[in-house]
């Protein structure tokens, strides 16, 4: 009898192990293409970064990662699609700085910004640089800008891509930190704002270093300082606002890969590891730098803290500006 029980127990153990092996094989993730939602239309910095990352991530995972553009309402439509998707690892979202700003800008969002997402990894950041039209503005340092603004309140103006955009809020943060008054001139996009800055219709604006580095080199624009606590690799000669005495002007643009909340741990870990590998290598870093991105790998759980910190910084700027979503 004991011998029979031992044989039955052994057979049961083998069967259970075989079932477990079969279940693991059946969950050979990923077994089909993954979609990465970019909450904007084609073109623009987030779409560009998404396509670079999708190509490399697909190679690492051994499955195609397909970009799906889903824009509108300040990125909230596409972001909502990510939040409502099945948490199975086959829907990811590349969220950017607007994601950190929108909780303070919109009275109601179609998702909870912290509870509805699994932040897998911050993948890139970008400092903002304050540039002035070199012919229109004589100041070349933060101290000189502040002195001129205090001597002539609201005489200096700064352009932005629209109320509540990151380059607008950089300006508001600077105004608050320095205790100065600057006239905000909103445009419908960074392109028209930059065009008028180059043409001398406005005094200054915050921009991504990569978008204005050529105009700085030709002398049309003069750089004043970069946000954050370190210098930009694209403009190493330009001091940070922290060096200029304004450490609170430190918010940066960010890009984070997120999944719907509830992602199984095995798939979560697989994706975090794959994203890190996708960003490795000098060729990838060179491609990012050429497009004004700084490779910034902040995996889960630190990514949650990073995103929350940026939300808090932009919340203060939104409150100071009085901006609301249109």
């Amino acid at each position: 009898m004991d011998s029979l029980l031992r044989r039955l127990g052994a057979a049961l153990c083998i069967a259970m192990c075989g079932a477990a092996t079969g279940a693991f094989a059946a969950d050979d993730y990923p077994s089909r293409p993954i979609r990465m939602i970019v909450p904007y239309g084609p073109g623009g910095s987030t779409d560009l970064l998404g396509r670079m990352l999708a190509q490399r991530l697909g190679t690492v995972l051994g499955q195609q990662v397909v970009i799906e553009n889903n824009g509108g309402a300040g990125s909230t439509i596409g972001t909502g699609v990510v939040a409502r998707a099945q948490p199975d690892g086959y829907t990811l979202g590349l969220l950017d700085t607007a994601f950190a700003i929108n909780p303070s800008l919109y009275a109601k969002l179609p998702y909870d910004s912290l509870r509805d997402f699994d932040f897998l990894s911050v993948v890139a950041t970008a400092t903002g640089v304050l540039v002035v039209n070199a012919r229109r503005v004589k100041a070349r340092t933060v101290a000189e800008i502040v002195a001129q603004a205090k001597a002539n309140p609201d005489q200096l103006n700064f352009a932005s891509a629209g109320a509540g955009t990151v380059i607008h809020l950089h300006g508001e943060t600077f105004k608050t930190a320095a205790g100065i008054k600057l006239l905000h001139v909103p445009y419908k996009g960074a392109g028209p704002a930059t065009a008028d800055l180059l043409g001398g219709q406005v005094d200054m604006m915050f921009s991504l270093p990569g978008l204005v580095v050529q105009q700085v080199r030709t002398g049309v624009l003069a750089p004043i300082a970069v946000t954050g606590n370190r210098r930009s690799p694209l403009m190493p000669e330009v001091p940070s606002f922290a060096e200029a005495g304004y450490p609170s002007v430190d918010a940066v643009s960010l890009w984070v890969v997120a999944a719907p909340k509830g992602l199984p741990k095995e798939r979560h870990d697989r994706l975090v590891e794959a994203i890190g590998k996708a960003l490795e290598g000098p060729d990838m870093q060179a491609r990012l730098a050429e497009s004004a991105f700084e490779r910034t790998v902040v995996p889960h759980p630190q990514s949650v803290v990073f995103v929350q910190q940026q939300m808090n910084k932009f919340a203060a700027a939104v409150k100071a500006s009085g901006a609301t979503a249109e």
Side-chain angles (χ1 to χ4, degrees), residues 88-153:
D88 55 9
Y90 289 98
T91 297
L92 305 176
L94 181 60
L95 312 180
D96 69 353
T97 318
F99 179 82
I101 295 171
N102 286 340
S104 302
L105 200 61
Y106 287 82
K108 187 176 182 181
L109 291 171
Y111 51 82
D112 185 288
S113 300
L114 293 177
R115 290 202 304 264
D116 291 346
F117 299 92
D118 187 341
F119 299 110
L120 299 171
S121 181
V122 174
V123 294
T125 58
T127 59
V129 59
L130 177 61
V131 288
V132 300
N133 181 288
R135 294 186 301 273
R136 187 177 170 104
V137 178
K138 300 303 180 185
R140 293 294 182 267
T141 67
V142 174
E144 290 172 354
I145 291 285
V146 171
Q148 184 175 341
K150 287 186 174 180
N152 303 281

Side-chain angles (χ1 to χ4, degrees), residues 1-22:
M1 185 68 176
D2 288 344
S3 177
L4 176 60
L5 289 175
R6 283 196 298 271
R7 289 198 298 274
L8 288 172
L12 180 60
C13 180
I14 292 171
M16 291 177 66
C17 289
T21 302

Side-chain angles (χ1 to χ4, degrees), residues 273-324:
E273 180 184 23
I275 292 166
K277 288 183 177 179
L279 293 165
E280 291 177 352
D283 57 331
M284 185 61 171
Q285 293 190 43
R287 289 182 66 193
L288 291 171
E290 288 171 3
S291 301
F293 302 110
E294 294 181 35
R295 176 181 173 272
T296 309
V297 182
V298 185
H300 184 92
Q302 294 92 340
S303 59
V304 181
V305 177
F306 186 90
V307 172
Q308 178 68 76
Q309 288 174 339
Q310 296 304 308
M311 284 182 177
N312 293 341
K313 290 174 183 178
F314 285 118
V318 170
K319 183 176 180 181
S321 72
T324 58

Side-chain angles (χ1 to χ4, degrees), residues 29-298:
Y29 172 82
S31 59
R32 65 177 192 270
I34 296 169
R35 65 171 178 165
M36 179 179 288
I37 293 175
V38 171
Y40 299 95
S45 57
T46 302
D47 182 61
L48 175 63
L49 176 60
R51 293 180 189 279
M52 284 194 288
L53 180 60
Q55 182 182 21
R56 293 292 295 267
L57 187 58
T59 300
V60 174
L61 291 171
Q63 277 289 346
Q64 187 179 14
V65 179
V66 181
I67 292 295
E68 181 178 307
N69 296 100
N70 199 326
S75 82
T76 63
I77 293 176
T79 304
V81 171
V82 178
R84 294 187 297 273
Q86 288 294 319
D88 55 9
Y90 289 98
T91 297
L92 305 176
L94 181 60
L95 312 180
D96 69 353
T97 318
F99 179 82
I101 295 171
N102 286 340
S104 302
L105 200 61
Y106 287 82
K108 187 176 182 181
L109 291 171
Y111 51 82
D112 185 288
S113 300
L114 293 177
R115 290 202 304 264
D116 291 346
F117 299 92
D118 187 341
F119 299 110
L120 299 171
S121 181
V122 174
V123 294
T125 58
T127 59
V129 59
L130 177 61
V131 288
V132 300
N133 181 288
R135 294 186 301 273
R136 187 177 170 104
V137 178
K138 300 303 180 185
R140 293 294 182 267
T141 67
V142 174
E144 290 172 354
I145 291 285
V146 171
Q148 184 175 341
K150 287 186 174 180
N152 303 281
D154 282 329
Q155 184 187 72
L156 283 173
N157 59 54
F158 73 101
S160 84
T165 59
V166 61
I167 57 179
H168 169 218
L169 298 180
H170 282 325
E172 295 295 340
T173 302
F174 175 40
K175 284 169 55 179
T176 300
I180 58 177
K181 292 184 178 181
L182 301 172
L183 180 63
H184 175 221
V185 184
Y187 287 80
K188 292 185 177 180
T194 304
D196 271 9
L197 176 67
L198 295 173
Q201 282 74 48
V202 288
D203 296 324
M204 57 188 178
M205 71 178 285
F206 281 85
S207 180
L208 294 179
L211 300 181
V212 293
V213 64
Q214 293 303 325
Q215 291 81 3
V216 166
R217 287 171 181 168
T218 59
V220 177
L221 300 178
I224 303 299
V226 298
T227 64
N229 53 20
R230 57 193 174 93
R231 298 190 178 197
S232 168
L234 288 179
M235 296 181 178
E237 74 285 357
V238 181
S240 69
F241 271 94
E243 291 177 87
Y246 298 95
S248 62
V249 188
D250 64 345
V252 295
S253 295
L254 67 94
W255 289 267
V256 58
V257 177
K261 196 71 173 182
L263 192 64
K265 185 180 185 305
E266 294 78 9
R267 298 188 180 188
H268 168 103
D269 294 346
R270 175 83 173 102
L271 284 166
V272 170
E273 180 184 23
I275 292 166
K277 288 183 177 179
L279 293 165
E280 291 177 352
D283 57 331
M284 185 61 171
Q285 293 190 43
R287 289 182 66 193
L288 291 171
E290 288 171 3
S291 301
F293 302 110
E294 294 181 35
R295 176 181 173 272
T296 309
V297 182
V298 185

